[in-house]
Amino acid sequence: MAEHAPKSTAFANAPEPPPELERKPLVQNLRSFAWISDRIAAVAEGRTPKWWWAAFVPSVALMIMCFVMIGYLISTGVGVWGVAHPVSWGYAIINFVFWIGIGHAGTLISAILFLLRQRWRTAVNRAAEAMTIFAVMCAGIFPLIHVGRAWMAWWLFPIPNSNNIWPQFRSPLMWDVFAVSTYFTVSLLFWYMGLMPDLATMRDRAKTKIRKYLYGLFALGWTGSNRNWSNYEKAYLVLAGLSTPLVLSVHSIVSLDFSVSQLPGWHTTIFPPYFVAGAIFSGFGMVLTLLIPVRKLCGLEEVITVRHIELMGKVILATGSMVGYAYAMEFFIAYYGGNPYEMFTFKNRAFGPYGWAYWIMVTCNVISPQLFWFKKIRTNLVAVFILSICVNIGMWFERFVIVVTSLHRDFLPANWGYYSPTYVDVLTFVGTFGLFLTLFLLFLRFVPLIAIAEVKSVIPQGDPDHPLGSVKEMLPATPEMKPAAKEPAKAAKPLGLLAEFETSAEIKSAAKKVRNAGYRRWDVFTPFPIHGMDDAMGLRDSRVGWFSFIGGVTGYCSGMLMIWFMNSFDYPLVVGGKPLFSPVYAFPVSFELTILLGAFGAVAGMLITNRLPRWHNPLFKSERFARVTHDRFFILIECRDPKFSETKTRELLEAAGSRRVEMAEE
Amino acid sequence: MSDLFPRWYNQLPLKIALGLLVSAVVVSAGVWYYLTPKYSRVGYQPIQPVPYSHATHVGQLGLDCRYCHTGVESSWYANIPSPSVCMNCHSQVLPNDPHLAPIRDSVKTGAPVPWVQIHRTSDFVYFNHAVHVNRGVSCVSCHGQINKMVEVRHEQSLTMAFCLDCHRNPAPNIRPLDQVYNMTWTNDPARQLEAGVRCVRDWKIRSSHNCSACHR
């Protein structure tokens, strides 16, 4: 498509940047807004492809097997597992840590890369966040069934009960409950909030009534109003800010499950950063394993480009090297610390009865990602796919090595043993892949797997200050709608003048003109948030941050108060001679509650300031307005505005560049 | 679009939120009341093989608890009497009463009378009758006014909270040792508290609240 054409006018006198400094485009071939929404939404529309069924049926079968195994476990007892003295943390804990680790890529991509302004994240964040949620669901199963009496699992939550006792908040296992459930909830909120504009796109494209209704219901009446975008973006930023420490805290707390106990091989301070690096490593491994086939099968090679794959390969290289460093450092400290038990544990880890697992881990986690130093390998999709599977295997073995090798050699040689899983262990674990893939495939078919609105905002046309932002010839011709052909009876009350614009540059300059003309009751509607539009409209800074702040402060204070009340006042529980209350041990849970209520505050603040959900909106009556979630931009000036006059306002909008101005009705 | 979502949809969130709030309160209150031992265990009164009336034997005739439950002072277990204890009197009194047939059968065959257990603690809870009755905790405190029950019923919740209430503050439930088996003994609350505190001190009652006191 016209690669040189747009440069002709705008770039005529500008010096050409050297080719090696030019950024590779995030969407190849200069695609238009319409192409992006058509192509991405097509995956969730139309007939179900054969490959989908071919993947879905075995996944469901595996998922059913997982639930059968869990049913067998609960009805029979934990004796059906291989866990026994001395290895009492077997597959369940290994798999829990494995899945939780995988769940770290999504929030990392959506939050940390967002804060770091890595715009390539837009093509992969939706799928990665979905993967996170499903992985955390798989992870959550294991502690639940590991407690033995799964129906008593509610005792983990601080709910008043007739035993008059409260959870013991000095235990990292308790912190885990809060960390993982907060992580799941916040990830889900983040994911859903990102979905809202795209669900509106799906709603406006839907052909059948039931699809229109369901997408409409979940889109909460999103119109793409810039007053809404302003609050939405603030809430998104706040959620990203909250999720960043959250994602780091979750795997740190998971690592504390191990490192707080005084067991050689577990009791080390390197565990939290080492676990977080490993989690990101495994998460990106899983993202690549999923997205390399998906981009091919769904025909999205131009959106999830080789550059995206390459960048993720670099993340794997970096985190894989950190993991390798941590392995080396564990050995060094075991030697340098001079503790004979530590030394024994690590010698035993590499050369003992589980040496085979250790060397699988080292091969997959330390050696194989080093191949990503080579650009040829980073850009070879088959190689990346195979290496990403290696990462998954290696990270599972890492958890196996950590859990099993430290436990199977006790301080008393009489307790030594060898752990092997039973078929129930193995089938439950394999079954969780079924659950994971089933959910992921359902996600592919029902929800846009790439953030449509966000991708539109990172292509050159989406930037009003970019030369391509004002280029019209790239837009496909619009079928001209017959103006006022089916004008209804004049009984309807007029709402205001709705003007349509075609490019991001046009809408931004038009917004400036409307603002300068002194209008108050007006709004801009766009398919994606446009950079600088808030200033053009003269909007004040969004107040969403305050909602989140109040939520966070409430969360922190109520967490501290709750723990003091439960463990020190209402039931003074003495554990190991530790103080009844200390802000140090109360911190992890209070921190998680800060994040949780802060996130609730951000989302609630976004909905309240935006007056959403608002399913019934007079603007939806306009057929033309349905394109606001697709490729068109609108300005609405309401009749309620004191300066409104039908002729003058219409003149202003037409002068601003709109070719279609219509009267919207109440 | 607009025909799919009529205007009243916009009021839905508020209504749903209100509905959820109300149902959450109702469900919590319901669970709190109906699904806790205070409701689900108190009042349990199974039909026994022999309609033995504590009201008659203890309330009217003045039998001491220990006449039948002989082990209560010396073991963790307040035993159910063997049928021969019944026959001490009933070989003379009402010797042919049809209600007592299971007792007579049991004496003849040696098979135990299938009494239905009413008060039970979980397997993971250790409870010792002897330490309680020997330190002034009366039968009444946990079993209620047995002397008035024609058929025995579950009188107290016997939850962990019930145990803890007394373990944290035993004074109100400690009485003189010679009144432990007196089902009708009462004391003026103010004087009881004072006496109870003195007993706790003098008899060195250390009602522990650590986990391993009961969960051994």
Side-chain angles (χ1 to χ4, degrees), chain A residues 147-357:
Chain A
V147 297
R149 300 173 195 230
W151 55 96
M152 297 284 200
W154 63 274
W155 281 10
L156 288 166
F157 292 98
I159 299 169
N161 59 46
S162 61
N163 292 345
N164 237 14
I165 199 169
W166 299 106
Q168 204 268 97
F169 284 100
R170 268 152 288 190
S171 163
L173 301 180
M174 207 53 229
W175 307 344
D176 230 13
V177 171
F178 279 81
V180 172
S181 40
T182 300
Y183 188 55
F184 179 75
T185 316
V186 173
S187 302
L188 194 67
L189 280 180
F190 207 7
W191 183 67
Y192 179 66
M193 220 184 83
L195 262 174
M196 269 174 59
D198 290 359
L199 290 175
T201 304
M202 296 300 286
R203 170 197 68 198
D204 293 340
R205 298 169 57 87
K207 299 280 186 294
T208 62
K209 213 168 179 181
I210 179 112
R211 282 175 78 90
K212 238 184 181 29
Y213 183 80
L214 286 176
Y215 283 122
L217 203 63
F218 285 103
L220 304 182
W222 182 260
T223 54
S225 137
N226 195 62
R227 289 174 197 274
N228 284 5
W229 277 121
S230 164
N231 294 321
Y232 175 92
E233 285 202 284
K234 178 67 88 181
Y236 202 88
L237 179 69
V238 168
L239 275 185
L242 288 170
S243 303
T244 300
L246 174 67
V247 70
L248 299 178
S249 82
V250 173
H251 228 56
S252 298
I253 288 176
V254 170
S255 82
L256 294 180
D257 292 346
F258 297 92
S259 59
V260 166
S261 68
Q262 291 170 341
L263 201 66
W266 287 6
H267 192 59
T268 56
T269 48
I270 202 175
F271 258 41
Y274 155 36
F275 265 53
V276 171
I280 294 164
F281 180 59
S282 68
F284 272 84
M286 189 56 101
V287 170
L288 285 174
T289 311
L290 291 173
L291 285 186
I292 290 175
V294 162
R295 72 191 274 275
K296 183 91 192 154
L297 290 166
C298 301
L300 291 167
E301 287 103 327
E302 287 165 79
V303 186
I304 307 174
T305 64
V306 175
R307 180 174 168 228
H308 290 94
I309 308 278
E310 199 194 333
L311 286 168
M312 287 193 270
K314 285 181 182 168
V315 175
I316 287 191
L317 173 62
T319 48
S321 306
M322 289 180 207
V323 168
Y325 170 79
Y327 294 162
M329 198 42 66
E330 276 187 317
F331 269 81
F332 174 72
I333 294 297
Y335 151 75
Y336 191 67
N339 180 330
Y341 299 102
E342 284 282 334
M343 268 195 241
F344 168 78
T345 301
F346 281 94
K347 259 187 232 161
N348 179 55
R349 193 172 269 189
F351 305 107
Y354 286 107
W356 55 273

Side-chain angles (χ1 to χ4, degrees), chain A residues 24-32 35 295 301-307 459:
Chain A
K24 287 204 187 104
L26 290 169
V27 178
Q28 286 172 343
N29 302 333
L30 277 176
R31 294 301 192 178
S32 65
W35 183 89
R295 72 191 274 275
E301 287 103 327
E302 287 165 79
V303 186
I304 307 174
T305 64
V306 175
R307 180 174 168 228
I459 60 171

Side-chain angles (χ1 to χ4, degrees), chain A residues 509-566:
Chain A
S509 70
K512 268 183 202 151
K513 281 178 194 146
V514 175
R515 180 196 176 190
N516 290 341
Y519 287 97
R520 309 289 297 266
R521 294 192 164 275
W522 65 291
D523 205 344
V524 174
F525 298 86
T526 53
F528 55 89
I530 290 180
H531 185 68
M533 184 58 92
D534 293 358
D535 287 339
M537 278 181 75
L539 294 186
R540 275 186 306 170
D541 194 23
S542 164
R543 288 168 301 151
V544 167
W546 286 105
F547 286 86
S548 181
F549 177 73
I550 291 167
V553 170
T554 313
Y556 185 79
C557 296
S558 56
M560 283 284 173
L561 239 138
M562 174 183 80
I563 293 169
W564 168 80
F565 173 79
M566 288 178 181

Side-chain angles (χ1 to χ4, degrees), chain A residues 106 112 295 307 313 343 387 408 418 424 480 529-530 574 623 657 660:
Chain A
I112 298 182
R295 72 191 274 275
R307 180 174 168 228
M343 268 195 241
L387 285 175
H408 84 130
Y418 191 85
V424 182
E480 194 60 49
I530 290 180
V574 182
E623 261 175 58
R660 293 181 202 88

Side-chain angles (χ1 to χ4, degrees), chain A residues 149 155 160-165 203-204 209 212-213 216-217 570-573 613-617 620-621 666, chain B residues 1-10 12-13 16 32 36-37 124 159-162 164-165 168 209-211:
Chain A
R149 300 173 195 230
W155 281 10
N161 59 46
S162 61
N163 292 345
N164 237 14
I165 199 169
R203 170 197 68 198
D204 293 340
K209 213 168 179 181
K212 238 184 181 29
Y213 183 80
L217 203 63
D570 189 48
Y571 189 105
L573 190 61
R614 190 173 173 218
W615 289 286
H616 178 88
N617 191 328
F620 293 143
K621 280 182 197 161
E666 194 80 56
Chain B
M1 260 325 283
S2 47
D3 52 328
L4 270 175
F5 294 105
R7 192 174 287 274
W8 58 264
Y9 261 79
N10 290 349
L12 265 189
I16 290 174
W32 199 299
T36 47
F124 49 79
T159 56
M160 185 169 148
F162 176 82
L164 274 171
D165 279 345
R168 287 199 183 127
H209 352 124
N210 56 335
C211 310

Side-chain angles (χ1 to χ4, degrees), chain A residues 75-87:
Chain A
S75 60
T76 314
V78 277
V80 301
W81 276 352
V83 282
H85 191 72
V87 181

